[in-house]
Amino acid sequence: MDVFGVDIGGSGVKGAPVDLDRGALTEQRHKVLTPHPATPDAVADRVREVVGHFGWSGPVGVTFPGVVTRGTTRTAANVDSGWVGLDARGLLGERLGGLPVTVVNDADAAGMAEMSFGAGRGRGGTVILLTLGTGIGSAVFTDGRLVPNTELGHLELDGHDAEKRASTKARDDEELSWPHWARRLQKYLAHVEMLFSPELFIVGGGVSRKAEKFLPLIEGIRAELVPAELQNNAGIVGAAMAAREQVVG
Ligand code: BGC
């Protein structure tokens, strides 16, 4: 079954049709720039542009970088505050001419994709995927089942919101060296491990492409620590998976 996936990120809105049997894009993805400010209206226009590029008419899954419950976006740490309390499913569905839309947290989407087609394939127990980017997103699984909207990026670390200390944005903004940033990440991972005792941490986000620069520097974590495998496409694939569940379920 093919479903369309769209990933709303800090810099780009990207999407493609996804073959859900293989967890792979069936065409090259199309990307447009995320508008700034990322208001609901402006972002919805970009989503229409991406979906329209393929002339798609069918179910569409869309990721969002905040809490999403039953199609309503609840938080907006790194996007315009107009998303808080918004019926995003309704807005996007209307903008896409009535196509069935499912909205899902971006890290939850990436986690679903990694659990089925990437680094978490076949893994039971507690698995936590953390996406490191503008913010820190989290997806928590027990025996393959997702606990949605866990928001572990907003745990407190050294008196700060953890994502302000350990995201890749913090690394860039503060021009931290890899070892310095890895120490912060280690502290954060140790905190999450203390709370959840996962068997496996999957580290996602764009920086996972450079995993060899920082994962080997992290010490004292009991859980296995591996980079995500789907990298750029995890959000698109996970968004499509969420939309299929909506259609099938
Ligand atoms: C948001 C999360 C999101 C993460 C990554 C955080 O600031 O609160 O919902 O998953 O950023 O985009």
Side-chain angles (χ1 to χ4, degrees), residues 102-162:
T102 303
V103 189
V104 59
N105 171 263
D106 56 359
D108 285 345
M112 285 163 63
E114 288 292 333
M115 291 304 283
S116 290
F117 303 108
R121 212 171 16 220
R123 297 292 298 243
T126 303
V127 176
I128 300 184
L129 169 123
L130 296 166
T131 61
L132 307 175
T134 310
I136 294 181
S138 59
V140 176
F141 294 85
T142 53
D143 289 336
R145 246 186 108 81
L146 173 71
V147 181
N149 292 307
T150 43
E151 293 294 317
L152 302 186
H154 297 294
L155 286 172
E156 188 182 314
L157 193 65
D158 294 333
H160 298 269
D161 201 20

